[in-house]
Amino acid sequence: MTGGADKEANTEGRQALQAFLLDVASLEELNPWLVRDNIFEILNLAHNEIRHSTMIGWLLDPMESHGLHGAVLEHLFQYVASQSLVDDPLGFKLLQMDPVNFEIRREYEHIDILAVNGRDKVLVAFENKIWSGEHDNQLRRYQSIIDRNFPSYDVLRVYLTPDGAESSNPDQWASVSYADLTDIIAQARSGAQLTTTAELLIDSYIDMIRRNIVTDPELDDIVARIYRKHQKAIDLIIKHLPDYSELVKAKVIEWGKENLPSFASESRPDQKGSWFRYRFYTETMLNLLPKTSQTDAWDGLTFWNYELAIDSNRSRIKFNIQLVFNESSATGNRKSQLIETAEYLRTAPESPWKLAGHNKRDRLYNIFLLPETTMEMDPRNVSPEDLVELDNSLNAGLARIREFETKLEESDWYRARISQTPADTA
C-alpha cells in the first residue's frame, strides 16, 4: 500500500470511529448490560469453572445460611422430572424427596459436586463444564467411583454446560444448561426469605450468568444492529486491541526465577504456538521417575514434568499448574512407570491432581491439573488485581505441590517404587 493509500485508509478509519462514538443512541442501548456493578465480575470470576461449582454447591446446600434451604434442589428435581430427563421411577422418587436430607460434597474424588441423601439412598452427581469439554472418559470414571462408593443408591447425573450440550453418555447423564440453572435458582429465590447479603449474592450470580455465560436474545439483536451499522469502526478497534499475554508470561517467568530454584532441581521456559510453559522438576519426582538415556518430546530426558502453563488466544488467557506425563515415545520400564504413576494420581485419595486430558490415540499423554490454581484473564484488559490473583495462584500451587510430595514420600506406594527404580529406566 502506497503512502497516499495509507493516509486515505487512516482518514476513513478515523471517520468511522468518530461516527461510531457520536452514535450515542445506539451505544446507550447497551447500558442495561454495562452499568450494573456485579461482585462476580468485579472479582473476575465470570468464566472460572471452579468458582461456579463452589457457588452452585453453596446454593444447593440446604444447611447453608442463604435462606433457600432445599429449594434449589427441589426445583431441580421438578425440572428433570418435567423434562423427562430421568426414568419415571427415579423422577417420581425425587419429587417425594425432602431436600433438607441432602449433604453437599465438593470435589469428591474429583467429581465437581455430589448431593448425598444417605437416609433415602439417593445421590445427585454434577459435572460442570463451562468452556472446556470432557477428557479421558471422565464420566465413565466418575460412574465407577459412584458405583464403588454408593453401590445401593439411586443416582441422578447432571451434565451442566452453557448451552445444555449432550455428554458422551446421554443415556446416563441429564443435560442441563446454565439458562435452565438460572431459571431453577430464580424460582427457588422467589419463594424464599433471604438476608440482604444472600439476596445480593444470588441476584448478582443470576445476572452474571445471563450476561456472560448464556445467550441473551435481546442483547444479541442490539449488538448485531450496532455491528452492521458500524462494522468498519468495530473491526478497526478489534484489530488494534492490546494483548497482555506477554505481561502474564513475564510475570510467570519472574515468579519462576524467584521461587523455583529453592524447590525445583531444574526449570526452563518453553513457547510453542499459543502455549507457554515454564517446566520444572523436583527431587521427589526424579527419585520416582529419574532421567533416562532417551529424549522425550519436550527435549528432556524424563517423559514427565511439572508446568506453569499459559494458553492464550484473542478471547482469553488461561493459566494453571499441571503435571504432565508423555508415554508416547517412552519404551520399556519408563513407559510402564509413567502409566502406573498416572494411575496412582488418578485414584489415590491423597492426590490433589485432577485428570484434565488424555490422548486416546497412539500418542499417549496424561495431563493433571491443580484445580485451585486455574484462572482466566481477558487478554485485552489484564488488571493489577489479575496479576495479584496470578501470584496467589502460583504461591498456592507451590505450597500444594510441597504438601503433595511430602505425603507421596511417606506412602508405601512411593517407597516401594523408588527402591526398585534402576538408575537408567530407558
Side-chain angles (χ1 to χ4, degrees), residues 321-393:
I321 295 178
Q322 51 195 40
L323 176 54
V324 183
F325 298 90
N326 172 12
E327 302 101 319
S328 60
S329 53
T331 60
N333 288 336
R334 176 44 46 99
K335 192 180 191 77
S336 61
Q337 289 168 345
L338 292 168
I339 293 171
E340 186 180 22
T341 304
E343 182 63 21
Y344 176 79
L345 294 180
R346 263 197 295 262
T347 58
E350 65 271 19
S351 172
W353 300 96
K354 181 172 184 177
L355 185 65
H358 180 81
N359 194 304
K360 302 173 186 176
R361 295 169 292 179
D362 293 336
R363 295 176 61 82
L364 298 175
Y365 295 85
N366 280 294
I367 302 172
F368 293 89
L369 304 181
L370 283 178
E372 61 267 38
T373 67
T374 300
M375 64 176 292
E376 293 190 359
M377 292 160 274
D378 185 340
R380 299 153 296 185
N381 187 29
V382 174
S383 66
E385 291 78 14
D386 287 329
L387 295 179
V388 170
E389 183 181 352
L390 176 61
D391 192 65
N392 291 339
S393 290

Side-chain angles (χ1 to χ4, degrees), residues 40 44-58 106-107 110-113 127-132 160 178 205 208 213 318-321 352-354 356 369-376 389 393:
F40 295 96
N44 198 27
L45 303 179
H47 302 287
N48 189 309
E49 192 173 281
I50 295 169
R51 303 296 181 258
H52 276 279
S53 294
T54 300
M55 183 65 184
I56 294 166
W58 180 73
R106 282 277 293 114
E107 289 294 335
H110 305 309
I111 300 173
D112 290 328
I113 305 170
E127 178 59 16
N128 181 26
K129 297 291 186 186
I130 296 183
W131 308 124
S132 62
L160 179 63
Y178 264 82
Y205 186 62
M208 180 270 291
I213 305 297
K318 185 173 183 179
F319 169 80
N320 52 57
I321 295 178
W353 300 96
K354 181 172 184 177
L369 304 181
L370 283 178
E372 61 267 38
T373 67
T374 300
M375 64 176 292
E376 293 190 359
E389 183 181 352
S393 290

Side-chain angles (χ1 to χ4, degrees), residues 152-166:
S152 59
Y153 280 62
D154 291 316
V155 182
L156 167 63
R157 306 165 192 86
V158 176
Y159 188 69
L160 179 63
T161 63
D163 59 357
E166 276 195 352

Side-chain angles (χ1 to χ4, degrees), residues 195-219:
T195 64
T196 302
T197 301
E199 190 174 272
L200 173 64
L201 283 173
I202 294 169
D203 289 348
S204 294
Y205 186 62
I206 292 172
D207 179 60
M208 180 270 291
I209 291 174
R210 288 174 173 164
R211 289 162 62 176
N212 293 275
I213 305 297
V214 302
T215 300
D216 185 325
E218 183 182 359
L219 177 60

Side-chain angles (χ1 to χ4, degrees), residues 84-93:
S84 300
L85 298 180
V86 292
D87 56 37
D88 289 339
L90 177 56
F92 185 68
K93 186 173 184 177

Side-chain angles (χ1 to χ4, degrees), residues 274-290:
S274 66
W275 279 95
F276 170 82
R277 298 173 176 89
Y278 202 116
R279 295 191 166 103
F280 63 99
Y281 312 89
T282 64
E283 290 298 331
T284 297
M285 288 295 292
L286 282 172
N287 287 337
L288 180 65
L289 298 167

